[in-house]
C-alpha cells in the first residue's frame, strides 16, 4: 500500500520548483534531522522511563515519523518493527494533520521579523525535457547508490514520469485519483486492524507519540536553520520560512508557509519557492528510510 500511494503522490507532484532552484534540496535534507534525533531519543528513553524498551529497529521506525510522511513510516515499520505499526501510523498521520497547529509557533520562534519579510526572485521556467529526465536520473542514481530505497523512490518517480511524459494521461489520472483513494481506504482499514487495545493502550505508545512530536518539531526547525545558514553564504537571500516546508507533508506544509509569510507581507508569494524543499523532503524521507532499512533490516 505505501508503494502504491507513493506512485500516486509522484503522479500528483510537480518537481519543477526543485529543478528550477536545486539548492532548496538542502532544506529538505536538513528537515530530516528530526528522524535521527528521535532515533537517538528513543534509545536513550530506555534508560530513563521504566516500562519502556525500544530496540534499535523500534527506534528507527519511531524516528521516521519526523519525516512527516505516513506511507514512508508505514513501509519502514512493516520491515523493522511490525508490532509497533499501529502506534507509529497513528502518530505519523496525526502530526501530518496537526501541521497548521505545530509549525507556525516553531517558524516564528526560529526567525526574525526581517527574515520573514524576505522576498525571493521569481523561479525560472522549467522545460518539459527537464521534467521528463529528472525522475529517470533520480531512479538511476538511487538504484546505483541506495538500492534499499528503490521500492519507494522507484514508485514515486514512475508516477511522476507518467505525469510528465504526457503520453499515458489515463494511467496518470488513475494514479492521482481512483487508485490512491482506494489504496488509502485499504491502508486505513489494515492499520486499524493493528490497533487492538492490549497492543495500543500501553506506556510505549505514549512514548512513541511524544517522540514523534519531538521528531516533527526538530525536522521543522532543522529546515529553517539550514535556510538561515545558507543566507550567510548566499547573495540571493532565502526566506527561512520555506525551510519549514522541508518536512514531507505535501502540499500542506508549503501552503501553510505561504499563509504565514503573507501575514507579514501580503504581497510576498512564496508558495512555489516552498514547493522545492517540500518535494525534496519527500525524496529525503524515502532516502532516510532506505538508509535505515539497509543498516538495520
Amino acid at each position: 500500500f505505501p508503494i502504491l500511494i507513493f506512485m500516486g503522490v509522484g503522479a500528483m507532484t510537480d518537481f519543477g520548483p526543485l529543478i528550477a532552484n536545486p539548492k532548496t534540496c538542502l532544506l529538505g535534507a536538513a528537515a530530516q534531522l528530526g528522524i535521527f534525533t528521535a532515533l537517538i531519543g528513543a534509545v536513550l528513553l530506555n534508560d530513563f522511563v521504566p516500562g519502556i524498551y525500544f530496540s534499535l529497529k523500534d527506534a528507527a521506525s519511531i524516528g521516521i515519523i519526523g519525516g512527516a510522511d505516513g506511507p514512508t513510516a508505514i513501509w519502514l515499520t512493516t520491515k523493522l518493527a511490525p508490532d509497533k505499526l499501529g502506534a507509529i501510523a497513528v502518530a505519523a498521520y496525526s502530526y501530518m494533520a496537526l501541521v497548521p497547529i505545530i509549525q507556525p509557533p516553531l517558524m516564528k520562534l526560529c526567525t526574525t521579523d526581517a527574515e520573514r519579510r524576505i522576498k525571493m526572485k521569481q523561479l525560472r521556467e522549467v522545460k518539459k525535457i527537464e521534467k521528463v529526465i529528472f525522475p529517470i536520473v533520480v531512479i538511476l542514481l538511487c538504484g546505483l547508490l541506495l538500492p534499499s530505497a528503490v521500492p519507494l523512490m522507484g514508485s514515486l518517480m514512475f508516477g511522476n514520469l507518467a505525469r510528465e511524459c504526457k503520453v499515458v494521461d489515463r494511467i496518470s489520472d488513475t494514479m492521482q485519483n481512483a487508485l490512491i483513494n482506494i489504496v488509502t481506504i485499504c491502508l486505513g482499514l489494515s492499520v486499524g486492524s493493528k490497533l487492538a487495545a492490549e497492543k495500543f493502550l500501553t506506556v510505549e505508545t505514549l512514548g512513541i507519540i511524544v517522540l514523534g512530536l519531538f521528531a516533527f518539531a526538530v525536522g521543522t526547525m532543522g529546515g529553517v536553520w539550514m535556510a538561515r545558514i545558507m543566507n550567510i553564504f548566499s547573495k540571493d537571500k532565502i526566506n527561512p520560512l520555506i525551510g519549514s516546508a522541508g518536512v514531507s507533508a505535501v502540499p500542506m506544509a508549503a501552503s501553510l508557509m505561504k499563509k504565514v509569510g503573507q501575514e507579514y507581507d501580503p504581497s510576498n508569494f512564496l508558495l512555489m519557492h516552498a514547493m522545492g524543499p517540500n518535494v525534496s523532503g519527500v525524496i529525503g524521507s524515502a532516502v532516510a528510510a532506505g538508509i535505515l532499512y539497509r543498516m538495520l533490516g
Side-chain angles (χ1 to χ4, degrees):
F1 290 151
I3 291 173
L4 291 175
I5 287 177
F6 253 62
M7 193 184 301
V9 170
M12 292 189 289
T13 301
D14 180 8
F15 285 104
L18 177 60
I19 298 170
N21 192 7
K23 66 182 179 182
T24 57
C25 70
L26 296 175
L27 305 179
Q32 310 313 312
L33 178 66
I35 293 175
F36 298 98
T37 53
L39 188 158
I40 296 169
V43 174
L44 295 177
L45 206 62
N46 295 335
D47 298 327
F48 297 101
V49 181
I52 285 183
Y53 174 75
F54 294 125
S55 67
L56 198 54
K57 290 185 177 182
D58 294 340
S61 301
I62 295 167
I64 206 69
I65 297 172
D69 192 336
T72 302
I74 291 172
W75 178 82
L76 184 65
T77 304
T78 56
K79 302 291 184 183
L80 299 182
D83 57 313
K84 301 288 191 299
L85 178 59
I88 289 173
V90 168
Y93 279 103
S94 295
Y95 293 130
M96 287 173 65
L98 291 173
V99 161
I101 297 174
I102 298 172
Q103 282 201 322
L106 297 172
M107 294 158 69
K108 296 172 184 178
L109 177 67
C110 297
T111 57
T112 65
D113 185 77
E115 287 175 327
R116 292 191 286 268
R117 296 177 186 274
I118 293 175
K119 288 190 176 182
M120 300 175 64
K121 293 182 179 179
Q122 184 175 355
L123 295 174
R124 70 175 178 84
E125 184 178 352
V126 178
K127 298 178 181 178
K128 177 183 175 180
I129 186 65
E130 294 178 274
K131 292 185 176 183
V132 172
I133 291 175
F134 179 79
I136 299 173
V137 171
V138 170
I139 188 56
L140 288 175
L141 289 175
C142 184
L144 291 171
L145 302 176
L146 190 62
S148 56
V150 166
L152 290 177
M153 195 72 74
S155 59
L156 180 71
M157 293 303 156
F158 174 70
N160 187 249
L161 182 61
R163 166 197 172 98
E164 300 298 350
C165 72
K166 304 297 184 185
V167 294
V168 286
D169 288 340
R170 184 169 58 85
I171 293 176
S172 175
D173 180 68
T174 300
M175 291 178 182
Q176 295 179 44
N177 297 289
L179 179 63
I180 197 169
N181 290 336
I182 292 170
V183 173
T184 299
I185 293 170
C186 294
L187 182 65
L189 290 172
S190 59
V191 169
S193 70
K194 300 290 185 179
L195 297 179
E198 63 271 14
K199 293 184 178 180
F200 184 72
L201 299 177
T202 63
V203 177
E204 288 188 348
T205 297
L206 182 60
I208 289 170
I209 292 173
V210 171
L211 287 166
L213 177 60
F214 175 71
F216 189 78
V218 172
T220 298
M221 293 188 290
V224 175
W225 288 333
M226 176 57 76
R228 299 186 71 180
I229 292 170
M230 290 171 66
N231 280 343
I232 298 174
F233 305 99
S234 177
K235 183 175 68 173
D236 297 326
K237 299 301 182 184
I238 297 172
N239 190 313
L241 291 178
I242 73 170
S244 66
V247 296
S248 305
V250 180
M252 188 188 302
S255 299
L256 175 69
M257 188 285 317
K258 178 201 74 169
K259 182 179 178 182
V260 173
Q262 289 188 328
E263 288 178 7
Y264 295 89
D265 184 352
S267 65
N268 199 2
F269 298 97
L270 297 168
L271 180 59
M272 293 311 295
H273 295 286
M275 286 305 298
N278 206 190
V279 297
S280 69
V282 178
I283 296 174
S285 63
V287 169
I291 291 172
L292 294 172
Y293 179 54
R294 183 174 183 178
M295 292 173 61
L296 303 173

